[in-house]
Amino acid sequence: MSFISVDFALFVTVALILYYVFPKDYRWVILLIASYVFYGQSGTDNFIYIAVTTVSAYAAAALIEQMRGRAEAYIRDAGKSLSKDDKKAYKQSAKKKQKIVLVLALLLNFGILAYVKYANLAIAHINLFRLTHFGSTDFIPFRSVLLPLGISFYTFQTMGYLIDIYYSKYGRERNFLKFALYVSFFPQIVQGPISRFGQLAPELFSPKDFDFSRIRSGFYRIMWGLFKKLVIADRLAGFVSGTMAQKETYRGFYLILAIFAYSMQIYGDFSGGIDVAAGVAEMFGIKLAENFERPFFSKSISEYWQRWHITLGTWFKDYIFYPLSVNKTVLRIGKSVREHKMPALGKRIPIYVPMLFVWALTGMWHGSEMRFVVWGLFNYVFIVLGTELAPLSEKICRILYLKEDDVIMKIYRAGKTFWLMSFLRLFDISADVGDAFTAFRYVFSGWGTFDIVNIYENLNLPMEDLIVAAIAIIIMFAVDMAARKGSVRLRIFSLPVPVQWVFLSLLIVAVSVFGYYGPGYDAASFIYGAF
Amino acid sequence: MDRIIEILKSVHPEVDYETETGLIDKRIFDSFDVVTVVGELMDEFDIEITAEHMVPENFNSAKAIAELVENLEEE
């Protein structure tokens, strides 16, 4: 069942009615049933994957807490008969056992994720290797199961929970069914956000009274999400893929335009999808974590990644970057380099080494092909360069009498970040690494024959699509700009009711009239739904 | 406390650490800054900061950092 379908609208309506009709204590049960019904629509074969994750994480959390409880009770009971050092040693040995449970659960769950995401790629490589080296055509068949819905998202969310339990950040969820809801909550299963238990659990399990303003606000957000998805992303999709498919013909200006258009497409697609998810959740009185904060206004790539797909970035920061940066081996290497008269390099090791892992993994999270890893590593290189060249850039600014907060500097920096991020996405829209570099080369050719007078003649985009997409993008950025001073929806709701109706009607008309419902394109699918 | 503020000032001299309570929440410190500060703290106070201490609550203010250091020194 897609987010953008009559079925989904009916499904949410029924779920909402049942949710608010039932007594507060049982409302989470409605959400659990709804989530499993929704999940089942994607194929009942997939239940096994989400079930294994739910059961294994629940059991591991219970085991870790039980072991910790036993160790604490032992130390407490022993009282003064144990020395301080003995207590410390006992605690450490208990922690080690808990770590084994944690690691086993992580291996199982990330193993499943790796299997469903990368097995076919591995099989393809093995088959190719056997063919080229041994001439064997006895191919291993590909596995046929499609990627289970939301597996990257719910695996990360659930493993984050388990690591938090290991670190005693909060107590585990003892009710198995409530925990199952945390793993499977339907609005966020398709493409996130990747929630944290500490944030989502109170929202799920402390239901709020029915309030029409929440339904209205959620509806606005859903419509705004559909606007971004259907009017911008889907309208540009054909132009982007068509131009990329014939990049040799469209080299130069048109290719650059397609690259920038893809940035708009993926932002509209992903942030629009998140808006729909957040809007649906809001109708149930549930606030989801925000995943975007006007990323295209970022002054550097590092800042961009704090504002784009925020919940994935913070996941990697908290569970990969920080643990590695305080890892004893990494620290020891850093210290040893510092003591060998390279203090500047030594200081950077606990930052840049973990970051390299984060970016390689972020690349792999996005896809199994090499182009995604290369994309991740390019991000890494640009972030490192941005950090290392910051003093130089400050110096240049001083020489030119420019200040950090000058409007021109802000525009320059945001423009540069947008440009770089757009070009990096070539890896996303190309068939492989070589293809991405070919596309990059084509950007610089074809300018000799570029005909500015007949610029539109050679554009692979019908005039009406161009006009609609351009106006919609301007509206999207205007709303993003306005959101800097607080929620745009709240401001609309403070206007007189007739004016509010005008806004809502315009939004509905825009989505239904200008949304792209053309043939041959699956408006229902989201790019991030495939991750 | 003075030494902690000195370390913090070496990363972001412009912040008033006596009053600021949102170093992480307000994104005044990014992850680079946090790791730099953690490295300095470990060297200066001979303590072991591990992954489980790496939560925003421990780094949001100079006071929170001082409490973390104090707790770890006792261990």
Side-chain angles (χ1 to χ4, degrees):
Chain A
M1 193 186 327
S2 160
F3 269 8
I4 306 172
S5 65
V6 178
D7 287 358
F8 185 68
L10 284 174
F11 168 79
V12 171
T13 311
V14 173
L16 271 172
I17 293 169
L18 290 172
Y19 184 80
Y20 284 112
V21 164
F22 266 73
K24 276 187 177 171
D25 286 352
Y26 300 102
R27 285 187 186 164
W28 65 269
V29 181
I30 300 294
L31 290 181
L32 178 64
I33 294 169
S35 296
Y36 268 77
V37 168
F38 181 80
Y39 204 80
Q41 297 291 316
S42 74
T44 41
D45 290 353
N46 291 341
F47 273 136
I48 183 74
Y49 294 98
I50 198 164
V52 168
T53 296
T54 311
V55 172
S56 64
Y58 181 83
L63 206 57
I64 288 171
E65 276 204 351
Q66 196 188 41
M67 289 162 115
R68 185 185 303 137
R70 252 193 245 144
E72 281 168 1
Y74 175 79
I75 291 171
R76 207 176 38 242
D77 293 345
K80 286 181 181 161
S81 62
L82 278 180
S83 71
K84 203 178 168 189
D85 285 344
D86 286 343
K87 280 181 188 171
K88 203 174 168 186
Y90 188 81
K91 240 187 197 169
Q92 273 174 351
S93 111
K95 195 86 191 166
K96 233 176 224 167
K97 285 178 197 151
Q98 292 160 36
K99 199 176 196 170
I100 293 172
V101 176
L102 172 74
V103 169
L104 287 176
L106 293 178
L107 281 177
L108 171 71
N109 284 283
F110 284 119
I112 293 171
L113 182 63
Y115 171 71
V116 296
K117 277 191 116 162
Y118 311 120
N120 278 346
L121 186 80
I123 291 170
H125 279 292
I126 293 168
N127 284 346
L128 189 70
F129 180 81
R130 282 166 38 146
L131 181 71
T132 48
H133 286 79
F134 306 105
S136 165
T137 51
D138 184 17
F139 294 139
I140 306 168
F142 287 113
R143 54 179 294 283
S144 59
V145 182
L146 289 169
L147 200 62
L149 182 68
I151 190 164
S152 300
F153 296 96
Y154 74 69
T155 303
F156 270 54
Q157 174 164 312
T158 313
M159 293 303 103
Y161 161 84
L162 199 55
I163 298 169
D164 286 351
I165 294 295
Y166 171 75
Y167 287 148
S168 316
K169 278 192 191 164
Y170 38 72
R172 74 185 174 99
E173 174 55 64
R174 287 170 180 274
N175 184 324
F176 176 73
L177 293 177
K178 280 189 173 176
F179 180 66
L181 172 60
Y182 167 70
V183 179
S184 64
F185 183 48
F186 75 90
Q188 56 167 51
I189 198 101
V190 182
Q191 53 181 348
I194 301 165
S195 293
R196 301 298 176 86
F197 187 77
Q199 182 268 326
L200 185 61
E203 298 285 328
L204 290 176
F205 308 128
S206 314
K208 300 180 184 89
D209 286 323
F210 177 80
D211 180 353
F212 181 72
S213 68
R214 232 177 257 129
I215 303 281
R216 180 185 60 176
S217 181
F219 184 73
Y220 258 84
R221 186 146 186 196
I222 293 170
M223 291 313 289
W224 179 237
L226 292 179
F227 176 83
K228 289 197 269 187
K229 162 76 176 151
L230 293 171
V231 184
I232 298 173
D234 289 358
R235 197 162 282 278
L236 291 173
F239 165 63
V240 172
S241 58
T243 307
M244 280 305 289
Q246 298 177 62
K247 48 184 164 299
E248 209 173 334
T249 316
Y250 291 114
R251 47 180 80 195
F253 174 78
Y254 299 102
L255 197 54
I256 291 185
L257 206 60
I259 291 167
F260 289 161
Y262 183 63
S263 280
M264 295 296 108
Q265 182 198 337
I266 196 158
Y267 180 53
D269 188 287
F270 191 16
S271 77
I274 291 290
D275 283 334
V276 174
V280 170
E282 192 174 345
M283 288 179 158
F284 290 94
I286 291 160
K287 193 173 163 25
L288 293 182
E290 291 300 334
N291 225 12
F292 293 93
E293 202 188 306
R294 300 175 296 285
F296 294 132
F297 294 88
S298 306
K299 292 188 289 296
S300 65
I301 293 191
S302 153
E303 187 188 334
Y304 172 90
W305 280 107
Q306 292 172 44
R307 300 167 67 159
W308 171 281
H309 206 174
I310 298 168
T311 55
L312 181 73
T314 50
W315 196 99
F316 275 116
K317 185 180 77 186
D318 290 346
Y319 301 118
I320 306 283
F321 178 78
Y322 280 150
L324 279 180
S325 69
V326 293
N327 175 278
K328 279 181 192 154
T329 313
V330 174
L331 286 172
R332 209 178 299 132
I333 296 170
K335 203 169 182 181
S336 140
V337 172
R338 256 184 352 220
E339 283 162 0
H340 282 81
K341 292 185 183 158
M342 287 184 280
L345 179 66
K347 242 176 156 177
R348 283 164 171 80
I349 283 176
I351 296 172
Y352 290 155
V353 171
M355 222 170 80
L356 182 61
F357 279 92
V358 165
W359 280 105
L361 289 171
T362 305
M364 282 168 74
W365 183 91
H366 282 82
S368 53
E369 297 99 322
M370 188 45 87
R371 63 194 165 103
F372 288 106
V373 179
V374 174
W375 166 85
L377 296 178
F378 263 103
N379 269 289
Y380 172 75
V381 169
F382 282 129
I383 291 174
V384 172
L385 283 177
T387 314
E388 293 302 322
L389 295 177
L392 179 70
S393 133
E394 277 165 24
K395 219 177 198 173
I396 294 172
C397 283
R398 266 202 307 276
I399 293 169
L400 297 173
Y401 294 103
L402 287 165
K403 285 195 190 104
E404 283 286 314
D405 48 359
D406 282 350
V407 178
I408 188 135
M409 279 307 287
K410 283 185 181 165
I411 295 173
Y412 162 72
R413 293 217 157 114
K416 182 190 70 182
T417 308
F418 177 72
W419 191 90
L420 277 172
M421 291 314 297
S422 298
F423 273 82
L424 282 181
R425 287 201 184 88
L426 270 177
F427 290 107
D428 198 1
I429 44 175
S430 298
D432 52 45
V433 178
D435 194 39
F437 279 110
T438 308
F440 187 68
R441 240 187 18 249
Y442 283 153
V443 164
F444 299 99
S445 62
W447 289 90
T449 52
F450 177 56
D451 179 3
I452 198 153
V453 181
N454 296 310
I455 192 166
Y456 175 70
E457 301 299 310
N458 295 317
L459 186 68
N460 176 28
L461 183 69
M463 185 54 96
E464 68 264 26
D465 286 350
L466 178 67
I467 292 170
V468 170
I471 293 174
I473 288 169
I474 291 169
I475 294 173
M476 178 169 76
F477 276 99
V479 171
D480 268 2
M481 288 280 272
R484 289 200 296 186
K485 290 184 182 135
S487 162
V488 174
R489 275 177 298 160
L490 282 183
R491 268 182 277 167
I492 292 176
F493 298 147
S494 67
L495 297 168
V497 176
V499 184
Q500 289 183 33
W501 279 107
V502 171
F503 269 106
L504 186 60
S505 313
L506 282 175
L507 196 53
I508 293 172
V509 167
V511 170
S512 42
V513 176
F514 299 113
Y516 186 79
Y517 306 98
Y521 184 74
D522 181 9
S525 69
F526 286 92
I527 297 171
Y528 269 73
F531 297 149
Chain B
M1 189 69 172
D2 288 349
R3 185 63 199 119
I4 289 174
I5 290 183
E6 227 172 87
I7 291 172
L8 295 174
K9 285 253 183 221
S10 71
V11 181
H12 276 280
E14 75 286 2
V15 181
D16 177 9
Y17 293 101
E18 302 286 346
T19 55
E20 186 54 67
T21 56
L23 293 175
I24 308 297
D25 293 346
K26 289 190 204 154
R27 291 216 210 117
I28 300 167
F29 275 32
D30 62 15
S31 41
F32 281 40
D33 302 327
V34 175
V35 173
T36 308
V37 168
V38 164
E40 299 278 341
L41 290 174
M42 288 204 269
D43 279 356
E44 178 72 27
F45 298 99
D46 195 25
I47 50 173
E48 196 184 313
I49 295 175
T50 61
E52 63 194 287
H53 305 121
M54 304 298 282
V55 288
E57 303 86 74
N58 282 340
F59 294 93
N60 258 333
S61 65
K63 195 169 158 249
I65 296 172
E67 276 166 22
L68 171 72
V69 170
E70 212 172 289
N71 289 339
L72 290 172
E73 277 180 323
E74 276 171 22
E75 270 188 18

PDB file of all heavy atoms in Angstrom, chain A residues 338-352:
ATOM      1  N   ARG A 338      51.048  11.932  18.128  1.00  0.00           N
ATOM      2  CA  ARG A 338      51.292  13.248  18.753  1.00  0.00           C
ATOM      3  C   ARG A 338      52.662  13.295  19.413  1.00  0.00           C
ATOM      4  O   ARG A 338      53.385  14.269  19.306  1.00  0.00           O
ATOM      5  CB  ARG A 338      50.219  13.506  19.812  1.00  0.00           C
ATOM      6  CG  ARG A 338      49.198  14.472  19.324  1.00  0.00           C
ATOM      7  CD  ARG A 338      48.163  14.870  20.316  1.00  0.00           C
ATOM      8  NE  ARG A 338      48.134  14.158  21.564  1.00  0.00           N
ATOM      9  CZ  ARG A 338      47.023  13.786  22.204  1.00  0.00           C
ATOM     10  NH1 ARG A 338      45.871  14.049  21.681  1.00  0.00           N
ATOM     11  NH2 ARG A 338      47.050  13.169  23.347  1.00  0.00           N
ATOM     12  N   GLU A 339      52.993  12.189  20.085  1.00  0.00           N
ATOM     13  CA  GLU A 339      54.283  12.146  20.785  1.00  0.00           C
ATOM     14  C   GLU A 339      55.455  12.044  19.821  1.00  0.00           C
ATOM     15  O   GLU A 339      56.588  12.306  20.197  1.00  0.00           O
ATOM     16  CB  GLU A 339      54.291  10.977  21.783  1.00  0.00           C
ATOM     17  CG  GLU A 339      53.486  11.323  23.037  1.00  0.00           C
ATOM     18  CD  GLU A 339      53.097  10.092  23.838  1.00  0.00           C
ATOM     19  OE1 GLU A 339      53.447   8.970  23.424  1.00  0.00           O
ATOM     20  OE2 GLU A 339      52.437  10.271  24.883  1.00  0.00           O
ATOM     21  N   HIS A 340      55.169  11.611  18.585  1.00  0.00           N
ATOM     22  CA  HIS A 340      56.237  11.547  17.586  1.00  0.00           C
ATOM     23  C   HIS A 340      56.314  12.853  16.799  1.00  0.00           C
ATOM     24  O   HIS A 340      56.512  12.855  15.575  1.00  0.00           O
ATOM     25  CB  HIS A 340      56.034  10.349  16.645  1.00  0.00           C
ATOM     26  CG  HIS A 340      56.443   9.061  17.270  1.00  0.00           C
ATOM     27  ND1 HIS A 340      55.640   8.372  18.145  1.00  0.00           N
ATOM     28  CD2 HIS A 340      57.594   8.352  17.183  1.00  0.00           C
ATOM     29  CE1 HIS A 340      56.267   7.283  18.548  1.00  0.00           C
ATOM     30  NE2 HIS A 340      57.451   7.249  17.992  1.00  0.00           N
ATOM     31  N   LYS A 341      56.136  13.918  17.527  1.00  0.00           N
ATOM     32  CA  LYS A 341      56.314  15.279  16.975  1.00  0.00           C
ATOM     33  C   LYS A 341      55.358  15.617  15.835  1.00  0.00           C
ATOM     34  O   LYS A 341      55.698  16.377  14.937  1.00  0.00           O
ATOM     35  CB  LYS A 341      57.767  15.489  16.528  1.00  0.00           C
ATOM     36  CG  LYS A 341      58.714  15.516  17.707  1.00  0.00           C
ATOM     37  CD  LYS A 341      60.098  15.835  17.270  1.00  0.00           C
ATOM     38  CE  LYS A 341      61.024  15.786  18.475  1.00  0.00           C
ATOM     39  NZ  LYS A 341      62.404  15.583  18.128  1.00  0.00           N
ATOM     40  N   MET A 342      54.199  14.983  15.852  1.00  0.00           N
ATOM     41  CA  MET A 342      53.204  15.382  14.856  1.00  0.00           C
ATOM     42  C   MET A 342      51.896  15.683  15.593  1.00  0.00           C
ATOM     43  O   MET A 342      50.901  14.978  15.402  1.00  0.00           O
ATOM     44  CB  MET A 342      53.014  14.271  13.811  1.00  0.00           C
ATOM     45  CG  MET A 342      54.184  14.158  12.861  1.00  0.00           C
ATOM     46  SD  MET A 342      53.894  12.939  11.584  1.00  0.00           S
ATOM     47  CE  MET A 342      54.257  11.430  12.436  1.00  0.00           C
ATOM     48  N   PRO A 343      51.918  16.707  16.451  1.00  0.00           N
ATOM     49  CA  PRO A 343      50.741  16.956  17.293  1.00  0.00           C
ATOM     50  C   PRO A 343      49.471  17.267  16.496  1.00  0.00           C
ATOM     51  O   PRO A 343      48.387  16.814  16.860  1.00  0.00           O
ATOM     52  CB  PRO A 343      51.153  18.166  18.145  1.00  0.00           C
ATOM     53  CG  PRO A 343      52.288  18.794  17.430  1.00  0.00           C
ATOM     54  CD  PRO A 343      52.972  17.708  16.675  1.00  0.00           C
ATOM     55  N   ALA A 344      49.640  17.998  15.393  1.00  0.00           N
ATOM     56  CA  ALA A 344      48.453  18.375  14.618  1.00  0.00           C
ATOM     57  C   ALA A 344      47.782  17.143  14.020  1.00  0.00           C
ATOM     58  O   ALA A 344      46.563  16.992  14.072  1.00  0.00           O
ATOM     59  CB  ALA A 344      48.853  19.360  13.524  1.00  0.00           C
ATOM     60  N   LEU A 345      48.597  16.235  13.490  1.00  0.00           N
ATOM     61  CA  LEU A 345      48.063  15.022  12.882  1.00  0.00           C
ATOM     62  C   LEU A 345      47.459  14.111  13.962  1.00  0.00           C
ATOM     63  O   LEU A 345      46.366  13.565  13.800  1.00  0.00           O
ATOM     64  CB  LEU A 345      49.171  14.282  12.117  1.00  0.00           C
ATOM     65  CG  LEU A 345      48.749  12.972  11.449  1.00  0.00           C
ATOM     66  CD1 LEU A 345      47.749  13.227  10.331  1.00  0.00           C
ATOM     67  CD2 LEU A 345      49.967  12.228  10.880  1.00  0.00           C
ATOM     68  N   GLY A 346      48.192  13.976  15.070  1.00  0.00           N
ATOM     69  CA  GLY A 346      47.728  13.120  16.172  1.00  0.00           C
ATOM     70  C   GLY A 346      46.367  13.534  16.691  1.00  0.00           C
ATOM     71  O   GLY A 346      45.520  12.701  17.001  1.00  0.00           O
ATOM     72  N   LYS A 347      46.145  14.831  16.752  1.00  0.00           N
ATOM     73  CA  LYS A 347      44.877  15.372  17.236  1.00  0.00           C
ATOM     74  C   LYS A 347      43.729  15.031  16.283  1.00  0.00           C
ATOM     75  O   LYS A 347      42.582  14.873  16.689  1.00  0.00           O
ATOM     76  CB  LYS A 347      44.993  16.904  17.307  1.00  0.00           C
ATOM     77  CG  LYS A 347      44.829  17.454  18.699  1.00  0.00           C
ATOM     78  CD  LYS A 347      45.064  18.935  18.630  1.00  0.00           C
ATOM     79  CE  LYS A 347      44.389  19.642  19.758  1.00  0.00           C
ATOM     80  NZ  LYS A 347      44.655  21.059  19.760  1.00  0.00           N
ATOM     81  N   ARG A 348      44.070  14.951  15.006  1.00  0.00           N
ATOM     82  CA  ARG A 348      43.031  14.722  14.008  1.00  0.00           C
ATOM     83  C   ARG A 348      42.647  13.254  13.873  1.00  0.00           C
ATOM     84  O   ARG A 348      41.564  12.944  13.376  1.00  0.00           O
ATOM     85  CB  ARG A 348      43.507  15.257  12.647  1.00  0.00           C
ATOM     86  CG  ARG A 348      43.418  16.764  12.547  1.00  0.00           C
ATOM     87  CD  ARG A 348      44.261  17.247  11.371  1.00  0.00           C
ATOM     88  NE  ARG A 348      44.060  18.650  11.096  1.00  0.00           N
ATOM     89  CZ  ARG A 348      44.629  19.631  11.768  1.00  0.00           C
ATOM     90  NH1 ARG A 348      45.424  19.346  12.805  1.00  0.00           N
ATOM     91  NH2 ARG A 348      44.407  20.889  11.438  1.00  0.00           N
ATOM     92  N   ILE A 349      43.533  12.359  14.288  1.00  0.00           N
ATOM     93  CA  ILE A 349      43.253  10.925  14.098  1.00  0.00           C
ATOM     94  C   ILE A 349      41.936  10.483  14.742  1.00  0.00           C
ATOM     95  O   ILE A 349      41.122   9.821  14.084  1.00  0.00           O
ATOM     96  CB  ILE A 349      44.465  10.076  14.544  1.00  0.00           C
ATOM     97  CG1 ILE A 349      45.521  10.162  13.430  1.00  0.00           C
ATOM     98  CG2 ILE A 349      44.072   8.619  14.814  1.00  0.00           C
ATOM     99  CD1 ILE A 349      46.811   9.464  13.727  1.00  0.00           C
ATOM    100  N   PRO A 350      41.653  10.846  16.024  1.00  0.00           N
ATOM    101  CA  PRO A 350      40.369  10.409  16.606  1.00  0.00           C
ATOM    102  C   PRO A 350      39.149  11.027  15.935  1.00  0.00           C
ATOM    103  O   PRO A 350      38.023  10.672  16.257  1.00  0.00           O
ATOM    104  CB  PRO A 350      40.457  10.878  18.061  1.00  0.00           C
ATOM    105  CG  PRO A 350      41.870  11.209  18.298  1.00  0.00           C
ATOM    106  CD  PRO A 350      42.470  11.589  16.986  1.00  0.00           C
ATOM    107  N   ILE A 351      39.364  11.960  15.024  1.00  0.00           N
ATOM    108  CA  ILE A 351      38.230  12.548  14.310  1.00  0.00           C
ATOM    109  C   ILE A 351      38.133  11.971  12.901  1.00  0.00           C
ATOM    110  O   ILE A 351      37.099  11.465  12.481  1.00  0.00           O
ATOM    111  CB  ILE A 351      38.365  14.083  14.237  1.00  0.00           C
ATOM    112  CG1 ILE A 351      38.313  14.663  15.661  1.00  0.00           C
ATOM    113  CG2 ILE A 351      37.255  14.691  13.389  1.00  0.00           C
ATOM    114  CD1 ILE A 351      38.626  16.127  15.753  1.00  0.00           C
ATOM    115  N   TYR A 352      39.252  12.016  12.178  1.00  0.00           N
ATOM    116  CA  TYR A 352      39.188  11.643  10.765  1.00  0.00           C
ATOM    117  C   TYR A 352      39.105  10.136  10.525  1.00  0.00           C
ATOM    118  O   TYR A 352      38.539   9.705   9.532  1.00  0.00           O
ATOM    119  CB  TYR A 352      40.373  12.241  10.007  1.00  0.00           C
ATOM    120  CG  TYR A 352      40.276  13.752   9.858  1.00  0.00           C
ATOM    121  CD1 TYR A 352      41.404  14.537   9.695  1.00  0.00           C
ATOM    122  CD2 TYR A 352      39.032  14.375   9.872  1.00  0.00           C
ATOM    123  CE1 TYR A 352      41.306  15.914   9.555  1.00  0.00           C
ATOM    124  CE2 TYR A 352      38.931  15.751   9.745  1.00  0.00           C
ATOM    125  CZ  TYR A 352      40.068  16.520   9.586  1.00  0.00           C
ATOM    126  OH  TYR A 352      39.969  17.870   9.459  1.00  0.00           O
TER     127      TYR A 352
END
